Amino acid sequence: IAKVIGPQAAVERLLPIFLALCKDDVWGVRKACAESIVKVSEALTPEARVNHLVTAFKALSEDSSRWVRVASFQILGQLIHTIRREDISPMFLKIFIDMAFQSEGGDSDFAEYCAFSFPGVAQAIGKERWRELDESFGTLLKDVQWRVRKSLAYSLHEIAQVVGQDIAEKSLAPAFELFLKDVDEVRLGVILNVDKFFAILSPATRERYIPNLCYVPIESENWRLRNVIASKLGDLAKLVPTKVASECIAEIIMKLLEDSVTEVRTSTYHSCAKLLMHLHNSPQYSSFLERVIELSQRQTFQGRQMFAYIFQQIVELEGFAVLGEKDLLEHFVSLASDKVANVRYVVARVLSNSCNNNPAVKNNTKLKTITKALSDDLERDVASLAVAQLPRLGNPHQAAAYRNS
């Protein structure tokens, strides 16, 4: 109703009613007021929020009913975000900050609410007032509850975007290092957005923490964690010098290509192709290229399949003209006559999924030749797939996923 009638009318007609309900004798009514105070705040004038709602919130946060207090603290971060930066007083902000220390007093949920809303509050007050939040951040970082640390891990990149490089390197980078050593639920959160977090840091700091990140999949038995890292390595390679990428990221990519889980290997093909394109024209390119080409010559047919999938990712990343045609095509073409049918089948998949439906690639003479050769393959599945008319993939990252229609 307040949104419909406008801010001024809402202040004059609805705000008095809402404030009266905040003092109702029935705790359920007061709890409902706490749960709706954010929506009410969004519909009022900035002055009314400061002069009336802040006072009403303080009363609700000190209510005799625990249910009302919990509902109040649960939405405090959202309420702060509705208030103008210059109107957020240190005393009101302190109510939010104190939630970070509530685990010590037995109110463990409050610390979780604080961690969940932390990025929004940091954005509301600006990086100039980070010092007021710094201590509470450090407390949440070491909270005994993994759910609290998980919330911070998932939002670390958002906080970094708010506070900028200097504060991120001083206060957030050490947190990143701790999260990488935490339980898998926490580690997964920080790794999911590691490329966005690294983008805020200076080149020197990125170089410092890249080895820490690359060590995670080596010692982790959690394939989902390895899969996320595998999907991020290509983007991370662009954020560090080619020397660092070839020494650290290339090594972990080669290890993940041998992973026992298909999903991990599939994600690694994409990152491997991105790394090849990043290293192109650098002194480190030839050595990594040799390692990739070696896959096409392995004794095991799985290694030869890997090469075909990496070639596919190069095509999907529009890298065929840049390096695929010159450096990889001959080796891909040779796999079309591989003695193992499963290898020829993968080549046919690559042709139908990513080459013969790609205007930039489909007219290549050599690809046309092997398409014709595979269409006459003795294996019926290979022959039919080689000439299948398939649309372009919606998600190139999943190009290696099975699809024949």
Side-chain angles (χ1 to χ4, degrees), residues 95-114:
I95 300 175
F96 175 81
I97 292 172
D98 288 345
M99 284 201 297
F101 304 92
Q102 294 302 309
S103 289
E104 301 169 2
D107 289 319
S108 57
D109 290 344
F110 290 3
E112 189 174 351
Y113 302 153
C114 183

Side-chain angles (χ1 to χ4, degrees), residues 132-232:
E132 296 177 61
L133 294 176
D134 199 9
E135 185 179 0
S136 59
F137 178 80
T139 299
L140 293 171
L141 180 63
K142 300 173 183 177
D143 196 280
V144 294
Q145 300 178 96
W146 65 264
R147 291 176 302 178
V148 173
R149 304 193 304 275
K150 176 185 173 183
S151 287
L152 283 185
Y154 270 85
S155 61
L156 194 67
H157 68 290
E158 296 177 340
I159 301 173
Q161 289 168 355
V162 171
V163 301
Q165 185 179 107
D166 292 342
I167 295 175
E169 296 193 348
K170 180 181 178 182
S171 299
L172 306 187
F176 172 80
E177 187 172 13
L178 286 176
F179 288 150
L180 286 182
K181 301 174 184 177
D182 214 313
V183 297
D184 284 352
E185 291 81 0
V186 176
R187 290 202 287 180
L188 182 61
V190 77
I191 291 170
L192 275 170
N193 297 291
V194 65
D195 51 331
K196 297 176 183 176
F197 179 67
F198 270 36
I200 306 296
L201 305 178
S202 66
T205 305
R206 294 173 199 162
E207 289 184 40
R208 176 185 171 189
Y209 288 109
I210 277 288
N212 300 50
L213 183 68
C214 289
Y215 180 73
V216 173
I218 296 175
E219 52 82 33
S220 176
E221 297 181 359
N222 186 336
W223 72 265
R224 290 180 175 83
L225 200 63
R226 300 198 305 274
N227 186 45
V228 173
I229 292 179
S231 68
K232 294 293 181 181

